[in-house]
Amino acid sequence: MKLFSCLMALLLLLLQVIPGLSLPKDTLRCLGYHGYCFHSKSCPEPFAAFGTCSRRQKTCCIDTTSNFHTCQDEGGHCVPPEIKCLQEQVGLCPHRGWRCCTEV
């Protein structure tokens, strides 16, 4: 799995360096969260859906066994940046800039 992640990171770097070959924004965001793009609408175990890839043609799936857990898996809820958290929680939110909070 680590070799695959390293190869994906290298591919991402090459695609960013070579003009005209950049990936769609949703795919870059998925890869930024160490996600993988799947053709199916549901993610296989142990992955969880975390948005889209390839201009909403594929599903972004993140590995639930890694350190990158979704906010809801950790017992929190996602809030927009204008809302202040009383207590922040570690976890990923599907919207850019949103934070994971246990209490608002």
Side-chain angles (χ1 to χ4, degrees):
M1 187 65 106
K2 286 187 178 187
L3 177 64
F4 182 72
S5 295
C6 289
L7 289 174
M8 289 299 292
L10 180 62
L11 176 65
L12 178 63
L13 177 67
L14 288 174
L15 289 173
Q16 288 178 342
V17 171
I18 301 170
L21 292 180
S22 63
L23 295 172
K25 287 183 182 181
D26 59 350
T27 303
L28 290 173
R29 184 176 165 279
C30 180
L31 295 174
Y33 282 113
H34 301 274
Y36 303 95
C37 297
F38 288 95
H39 287 285
S40 64
K41 294 294 179 189
S42 61
C43 299
E45 290 292 330
F47 295 93
F50 192 71
T52 61
C53 292
S54 300
R55 294 179 183 91
R56 299 184 183 189
Q57 299 294 318
K58 298 179 184 176
T59 304
C60 175
C61 301
I62 58 170
D63 186 358
T64 58
T65 61
S66 70
N67 293 333
F68 300 98
H69 294 287
T70 62
C71 182
Q72 289 79 10
D73 290 342
E74 298 296 321
H77 54 279
C78 295
V79 297
E82 56 270 7
I83 295 178
K84 303 286 186 224
C85 291
L86 294 177
Q87 184 174 2
E88 282 201 42
Q89 176 74 24
V90 175
L92 299 175
C93 291
H95 301 290
R96 182 179 296 252
W98 286 38
R99 291 187 313 249
C100 182
C101 297
T102 52
E103 294 182 33
V104 179

